Amino acid sequence: MDGLLLDTERLFMEALVSVSKPFGMDDQAVRDFFLNLIGSSAQATTAALAGFVPAGVDAVAFDRDWRAANAAQRQGPVPLRPTVAEVLQDLSGAGHAMAVVTSTKRAPALEHLESAGLLSHFDLVIAGDEVTDNKPHPAPYLQAAAALGVDPSRCAAFEDSDTGTHAAVAAGCVTTQIPDLRPPVPLPDLGQRVASDLRAAVTGLGLMPVVAAR
């Protein structure tokens, strides 16, 4: 969801920078730390913060302030990644069954998808607080495939993060990685496809016709 459908990772990163400033934390170090959190669950993020914030800082309170700062900076609908609105409209119009598989908890995931105008396109949402194990474990994708009544090998998964890509590939999905923010290291070699945006990803799989540039 975040970084693949919703253009929220940059906002979340800058909110982290802003709440870190009063503690004298280096901006670039904070951004580098954030890049390694992408794709992780809220629980994993809070645990990582405990080892990152300065000694004596309450990591749980810091995490709460970070999320509040992120919510406060948003004005209007949640922004979308490129091509997402038109691609989802076309896919749902063509009758494709679709699910969101996210590490975000259910309540904020639904609110963000509704704000962005995307929720109606999806048959179901599998959230981070509804699964036995979070990404990179394959459980979230296996749960989504089972709920849709489809074998995972017949599912096309689209992920921005390395963590999510590991989960989708391990579940047996036909996986395309569409990188957004991530550490400046090579992509994992998992046999996944790679695309520049969601439209390129779905056309590459033959799920939509190729549209010539105008």
Side-chain angles (χ1 to χ4, degrees):
M1 185 182 72
D2 295 293
L4 187 283
L5 301 177
L6 308 180
D7 196 9
T8 46
E9 297 288 20
R10 288 167 184 77
L11 296 175
F12 207 28
M13 181 171 65
E14 292 312 312
L16 179 59
V17 171
S18 71
V19 298
S20 299
K21 285 185 181 296
F23 300 100
M25 300 165 72
D26 178 73
D27 289 359
Q28 189 56 53
V30 171
R31 292 189 176 97
D32 291 343
F33 170 74
F34 177 83
L35 293 181
N36 288 289
L37 296 178
I38 292 174
S40 63
S41 66
Q43 183 178 10
T45 295
T46 302
L49 278 172
F52 180 71
V53 296
V57 175
D58 184 337
V60 174
F62 183 95
D63 193 9
R64 183 175 59 247
D65 292 345
W66 173 22
R67 295 177 189 279
N70 183 55
Q73 73 179 346
R74 195 182 95 202
Q75 298 181 356
V78 174
L80 300 179
R81 296 289 295 144
T83 77
V84 165
E86 57 267 33
V87 169
L88 291 185
Q89 180 69 43
D90 290 347
L91 289 175
S92 60
H96 291 289
M98 294 189 290
V100 170
V101 179
T102 179
S103 294
T104 301
K105 292 182 179 180
R106 183 169 187 81
L110 294 179
E111 191 274 324
H112 288 176
L113 290 167
E114 181 67 36
S115 170
L118 302 183
L119 186 59
S120 63
H121 293 308
F122 294 99
D123 298 83
L124 60 114
V125 174
I126 301 295
D129 53 350
E130 299 177 316
V131 294
T132 55
D133 289 284
N134 256 299
K135 303 173 186 178
H137 196 280
Y141 275 102
L142 295 175
Q143 185 171 328
L148 291 174
V150 182
D151 187 276
S153 66
R154 299 285 296 167
C155 293
F158 305 98
E159 276 283 354
D160 65 298
S161 71
D162 295 358
T163 301
T165 300
H166 275 275
V169 171
C173 302
V174 178
T175 306
T176 304
Q177 187 169 6
I178 307 169
D180 180 26
L181 294 181
R182 59 185 301 281
V185 296
L187 294 175
D189 184 9
L190 304 173
Q192 79 273 35
R193 295 166 177 254
V194 179
S196 58
D197 58 40
L198 189 59
R199 178 173 292 281
V202 298
T203 54
L205 291 172
L207 298 175
M208 289 175 56
V210 176
V211 179
R214 296 179 181 177

